Amino acid sequence: MAETLSAQEVTVASLPTERELWPGSWRHARFTVVGALVLTGSILMSIGLGGWLRSGRPERAAARWAARLGISTPALWPAGDAMHYPPESAP
Amino acid sequence: MTRPLCWNRPLVVWAARDLGRHASTALLLFISLSLLVTLVMLVLWFDQSLSHACLLWAEQAPDLVVRRVTVGGWAPLPVAETLARVRPVVGALRPRPRVWGVVQSPVGPWTVVGLDPATVSDWPADVPLPRTGEALVGTAGQAFEPGRSIRLEGRASLTLNVVGRLPLSAAPVLHDGVVLHVRDARRVLGLEADQATDLALDVFHDDEAEALRPDLARALPWPVSITTAGEQLRRQLDDISRRTGWLLVSFAPALAAMALVVATVGSAGRRRRWEMGLLKALGWSGGDLLRLHLYRGLLIGAPAVVLGSAAAYLLLFAPGADWAAGFIFGMTGRSLPLQLSGQGSAGGLLLGALMVGMPYMAALFWSGWQAVVQDPAECLAEGA
């Protein structure tokens, strides 16, 4: 009795022949897949690790200075900018 | 042989090999997607992390600031009388006069902050606390080496000896500014010995700040302007959102590029109908074909989104976003060495990935689906 194979199984079954016919092409394809997965994973891990290691450290250091100097508005806005005080009460 | 629904190794390798057949198109798509993600992520990440940082800094700022106003605007506050009237107000904690203002320095307007060494606590040992005649310059004053003198022009002119510079960690708080002894600050700002710029107060609970306003206004005999930390924070956050929003709008060409990328993905799907028809005729199921199409797109899309995010991360957080204050807040002169860690900005990362990833995935799925549901004969006839 003839066995019916699904397309996926045909794909898998044909892989050795494919590899023999175009070895370079399959090697490159596998390399591309592995490269894409490794690149994605390692970058995500690096971002996560970097964020975890630094988590809020520079912001907290600046916050301590905000408390020492008693300043209400960060220096993101230049000196004299209306953000440093309500417009009606510029010192 | 059963294969997992989401991962089919032969099909993934097949998809990668297929991408290799159109390497230049795939590379172009990868670069476009990465750049687009970098731009969108830069703005969203910056907005979120800066807003979070402002929230942290606002927690350390005074809960209430009382300023005396007249018809002409701001007026100095008599310290002794103000303290005598504010101290009995129930709920008003740690009333402390602040002496600060804006003066002209050799490199432009600077904020002067007057500190009284007797009341300063938690001051780091490696940073000199300025005494009379001394100045501690902010990070914008890199040109003023310790030992040099600096001339400040306010209501009065004052020449001071630079004793040091504020560390980089203080830059987000005082960049284009200088810390002076409170007596020098009063002199250069034109304040009398018993006058202050405003009065800072704390409250036990944040909600009390709003409730305390009428009591404070009643306690003082002059018209005053009272600002709560919450109000000030809202103004800051609104301004940050407005500026980053404009920046996002200025990226309209990038959104056009996104439309182009989506159109390219769609047209690539249509071009491949013949191929799909052939595979279908050979017995491939619709699911296999759709998966092949999705794998092809994901092999480009996922690394592109991640690489674009990494580029945005490096530009913003490592080593720092020195370009941001000049570019977004219009700061001139020496750039503000802004160091952020990205804490509290996971939402920005997710939103950026979704903003680019969703239309891309939708285009990918739609083009694949269209090819899958068509009759193989039609697909072959179209491509013939």
Side-chain angles (χ1 to χ4, degrees):
Chain A
M1 197 170 128
E3 195 185 349
T4 315
L5 295 174
S6 74
Q8 285 180 15
E9 285 165 323
V10 171
T11 308
V12 175
S14 68
L15 275 182
T17 325
E18 283 270 338
R19 280 191 204 115
E20 280 163 24
L21 284 175
W22 298 289
S25 166
W26 280 100
R27 206 168 39 242
H28 285 141
R30 273 203 308 275
F31 182 74
T32 306
V33 173
V34 172
L37 288 174
V38 169
L39 180 79
T40 307
S42 56
I43 290 178
L44 275 178
M45 273 174 62
S46 307
I47 291 178
L49 192 70
W52 179 70
L53 285 175
R54 287 157 54 85
S55 65
R57 204 179 303 154
E59 290 92 339
R60 280 197 301 274
R64 279 196 292 277
W65 277 105
R68 281 174 199 137
L69 299 174
I71 288 177
S72 305
T73 305
L76 297 168
W77 294 273
D81 189 279
M83 188 57 70
H84 289 282
Y85 39 74
E88 77 279 4
S89 56
Chain B
M1 191 187 298
T2 328
R3 295 267 154 198
L5 189 68
C6 295
W7 180 254
N8 188 321
R9 193 163 155 252
L11 268 185
V12 175
V13 179
W14 190 297
R17 205 184 68 150
D18 206 27
L19 283 177
R21 282 167 52 213
H22 308 276
S24 53
T25 317
L27 191 67
L28 210 63
L29 192 61
F30 179 82
I31 293 170
S32 317
L33 260 180
S34 300
L35 286 177
L36 195 64
V37 171
T38 306
L39 285 180
V40 171
M41 208 69 95
L42 261 182
V43 179
L44 294 174
W45 231 342
F46 184 68
D47 179 278
Q48 291 246 325
S49 53
L50 200 58
S51 300
H52 185 265
C54 282
L55 202 73
L56 268 180
W57 298 332
E59 282 172 10
Q60 300 300 323
D63 293 324
L64 280 162
V65 174
V66 182
R67 292 181 179 85
R68 184 181 175 190
V69 286
T70 62
V71 283
W74 166 86
L77 209 62
V79 175
E81 187 181 355
T82 309
L83 287 177
R85 288 175 181 273
V86 166
R87 278 193 179 125
V89 176
V90 178
L93 309 176
R94 290 183 60 228
R96 51 200 186 277
R98 297 195 304 183
V99 177
W100 68 277
V102 180
V103 297
Q104 196 65 31
S105 79
V107 289
W110 268 12
T111 303
V112 161
V113 177
L115 285 186
D116 186 354
T119 58
V120 171
S121 59
D122 183 33
W123 192 264
D126 54 340
V127 182
L129 189 60
R131 291 172 297 190
T132 316
E134 292 178 344
L136 181 67
V137 295
T139 37
Q142 293 292 320
F144 301 99
E145 293 288 329
R148 274 187 62 181
S149 61
I150 185 171
R151 187 173 176 79
L152 301 174
E153 303 270 354
R155 295 276 173 95
S157 295
L158 205 61
T159 303
L160 300 139
N161 182 33
V162 177
V163 285
R165 281 195 290 258
L166 281 168
L168 280 181
S169 58
V173 179
L174 190 67
H175 168 63
D176 45 357
V178 58
V179 182
L180 305 181
H181 188 280
V182 70
R183 276 202 292 274
D184 288 336
R186 280 198 177 104
R187 272 176 64 199
V188 76
L189 292 169
L191 298 173
E192 298 296 325
D194 187 37
Q195 287 183 332
T197 305
D198 53 30
L199 185 80
L201 296 157
D202 285 337
V203 289
F204 185 71
H205 195 275
D206 290 346
D207 296 339
E208 291 173 21
E210 198 61 48
L212 213 59
R213 281 169 98 145
D215 295 346
L216 285 169
R218 265 197 304 274
L220 295 165
W222 338 275
V224 286
S225 154
I226 302 171
T227 314
T228 63
E231 275 176 346
Q232 190 68 357
L233 178 66
R234 265 196 303 280
R235 288 178 67 214
Q236 292 165 16
L237 298 186
D238 287 350
D239 194 64
I240 290 171
S241 298
R242 189 175 55 81
R243 287 172 192 269
T244 50
W246 275 114
L247 199 64
L248 207 56
V249 169
S250 72
F251 288 161
L255 297 178
M258 178 74 219
L260 214 65
V261 167
V262 169
T264 309
V265 171
S267 63
R270 279 194 294 281
R271 272 202 307 277
R272 283 167 191 229
R273 270 186 210 171
W274 182 83
E275 227 173 276
M276 294 275 199
L278 185 68
L279 291 173
K280 246 178 164 181
L282 287 171
W284 283 48
S285 71
D288 288 337
L289 290 173
L290 188 62
R291 254 183 291 185
L292 177 68
H293 191 70
L294 291 178
Y295 288 151
R296 259 197 312 244
L298 282 174
L299 278 173
I300 298 175
V305 168
V306 171
L307 200 71
S309 307
Y313 183 89
L314 289 176
L315 279 169
L316 273 180
F317 306 125
D322 290 12
W323 53 272
F327 188 59
I328 296 176
F329 294 93
M331 190 174 278
T332 52
R334 196 178 173 82
S335 57
L336 168 69
L338 187 62
Q339 299 242 326
L340 297 167
S341 70
Q343 192 188 31
S345 63
L349 175 69
L350 202 65
L351 192 64
L354 283 178
M355 267 178 80
V356 180
M358 284 294 276
Y360 177 75
M361 283 306 294
L364 199 66
F365 188 81
W366 179 243
S367 57
W369 182 256
Q370 273 186 322
V372 163
V373 294
Q374 266 199 342
D375 186 60
E378 273 179 36
C379 292
L380 288 168
E382 265 181 39

